[in-house]
Amino acid sequence: MKIAIIGTGNLGKSIAKGLITNNAITTLYLTKRNLEDIQDLEGYKNVLLTTDNIEAVKQSDILIFAIQPAHFENILRDIQPYLTDKHVIISTITGFLIPQIEALIGSDQYIIRAMPNTAIAVGKSMTCLCSNENGKKRLKIAEAIFNRLGHTLAIPEAQMQAATVVCASGVAFWMRLIRATTQAAIQLGFDAKEAQELAMYTSEGAANLLITNGHHPEEEIDRVTTPKGCTIEGLNEMEHKGLSSSLIQGMVASFNKINNIKKEQI
Ligand SMILES: NC(=O)c1ccc[n+]([C@@H]2O[C@H](COP(=O)([O-])OP(=O)(O)OC[C@H]3O[C@@H](n4cnc5c(N)ncnc54)[C@H](OP(=O)(O)O)[C@@H]3O)[C@@H](O)[C@H]2O)c1
């Protein structure tokens, strides 16, 4: 695949590293105004660094945009005359809607939005994808790219805000759960480093049980809860204190906030 990443900052660099490690590129153009921060990627085969977005667009088929929202409109205007029907436009830019992109470059382009999370840096991002009508024909390409960097799910654009809360903010929610588990483990006698190790690998194992077995979480819970045992005692105490309820309410609060951010800015 001939790919260009327009705006190789935090996210762009993580995507680039994932693509390079997975041998997913024929050529990879990485653009940025100041190339100093990405010099370490220069030595890789078929990776080209440039400040020239137009050159990157001309030489590539798949264009992944990872600039800040404020820069997107101008960059799209600059590159628009060089877009052809070979190009697939993948935007990772939060809150920039497909109709806004279509208004700038036309609805006949293949336009896809991707919402990855920070775990993309370790190849474990849950990435949600949506597209315009034409982009549906190229969705498989975006899935192939982001499946190399974790897992993907295609959703309607109307669900992208909810996906941002569940998957992008979700990383922070899971970090708090892991931190709380670590704090409990310290209280139960482990030193801080051991406690975090136990918390991290237990949560990884729990998620992998669901991914591998395809079970509902309660099925896995049933396997570790003995009648009158210590697990059910702990679980019920957590529920009396509102564990599930506070998680759900927190995520709904996040969702309400994300929907109101634009209105607050006006
Ligand atoms: N970070 C995440 O986990 C995440 C997750 C989902 C979505 N997103 C979205 O991804 C986008 C990028 O986020 P980020 O955290 O990676 O931001 P970032 O680190 O600021 O990266 C943006 C990069 O764009 C470059 N840039 C600016 N103007 C440019 C131009 N005219 N041509 C080429 N490159 C240009 C900047 O480098 P120079 O100043 O050197 O040009 C900068 O390195 C945002 O829109 C965000 O909403 C991020």
Side-chain angles (χ1 to χ4, degrees):
M1 286 192 274
K2 292 161 87 176
I3 303 178
I5 298 178
I6 310 293
T8 316
N10 290 319
L11 179 62
K13 202 167 174 183
S14 293
I15 296 174
K17 282 183 181 167
L19 294 175
I20 294 166
T21 317
N22 283 293
N23 289 324
I25 47 160
T26 314
T27 53
L28 179 62
Y29 276 79
L30 302 176
T31 84
K32 209 174 169 302
R33 290 168 304 185
N34 174 2
L35 297 175
E36 224 167 79
D37 299 341
I38 54 170
Q39 286 302 336
D40 53 319
L41 298 178
E42 192 168 32
Y44 289 98
K45 197 173 163 209
N46 299 326
V47 174
L48 300 114
L49 314 189
T50 177
T51 55
D52 187 347
N53 290 332
I54 290 168
E55 179 63 12
V57 167
K58 283 186 190 163
Q59 299 300 334
S60 308
D61 301 333
I62 296 151
L63 312 176
I64 302 176
F65 290 87
I67 56 257
Q68 291 294 341
H71 296 142
F72 195 29
E73 189 169 333
N74 280 343
I75 293 175
L76 279 181
R77 284 189 203 285
D78 289 346
I79 60 131
Q80 194 273 335
Y82 304 93
L83 292 177
T84 66
D85 60 6
K86 72 169 182 173
H87 287 114
V88 180
I89 316 291
I90 303 180
S91 162
T92 66
I93 293 139
T94 315
F96 212 104
L97 305 182
I98 287 171
Q100 293 174 277
I101 303 173
E102 285 185 333
L104 291 161
I105 58 171
S107 57
D108 52 339
Q109 299 289 340
Y110 303 113
I111 301 171
I112 292 166
R113 279 183 65 199
M115 171 52 63
N117 64 28
T118 49
I120 203 156
V122 290
K124 292 283 180 192
S125 171
M126 177 63 237
T127 302
C128 289
L129 301 167
C130 64
S131 72
N132 69 345
E133 202 44 44
N134 218 22
K136 284 182 187 162
K137 297 174 201 151
R138 297 289 183 274
L139 209 49
K140 286 263 173 292
I141 294 177
E143 284 171 353
I145 291 174
F146 287 96
N147 278 338
R148 287 170 188 260
L149 304 163
H151 186 75
T152 57
L153 183 70
I155 59 173
E157 186 171 39
Q159 285 188 319
M160 279 305 249
Q161 302 271 66
T164 306
V165 168
V166 179
C167 307
S169 308
V171 170
F173 304 146
W174 280 102
M175 290 299 166
R176 272 292 160 83
L177 285 172
I178 292 169
R179 190 190 74 171
T181 314
T182 303
Q183 287 170 319
I186 296 170
Q187 191 168 348
L188 299 182
F190 294 96
D191 71 38
K193 194 170 167 294
E194 289 171 342
Q196 185 172 325
E197 207 172 322
L198 301 188
M200 287 186 306
Y201 287 105
T202 304
S203 60
E204 186 191 27
N208 276 315
L209 275 174
L210 301 179
I211 292 165
T212 307
N213 295 341
H215 289 162
H216 187 281
E218 283 305 320
E219 258 181 282
E220 296 296 340
I221 288 175
D222 285 347
R223 289 176 183 217
V224 286
T225 44
T226 335
K228 291 189 169 183
C230 62
T231 308
I232 193 67
E233 187 82 18
L235 274 177
N236 284 347
E237 181 63 16
M238 288 174 201
E239 290 305 337
H240 291 317
K241 294 278 170 5
L243 177 70
S244 297
S245 173
S246 63
L247 268 173
I248 295 164
Q249 285 181 14
M251 289 174 72
V252 171
S254 257
F255 182 63
N256 291 337
K257 180 72 183 176
I258 202 173
N259 288 329
N260 282 322
I261 284 173
K262 277 236 160 77
K263 289 181 209 152
E264 286 167 14
Q265 284 168 347
I266 293 168

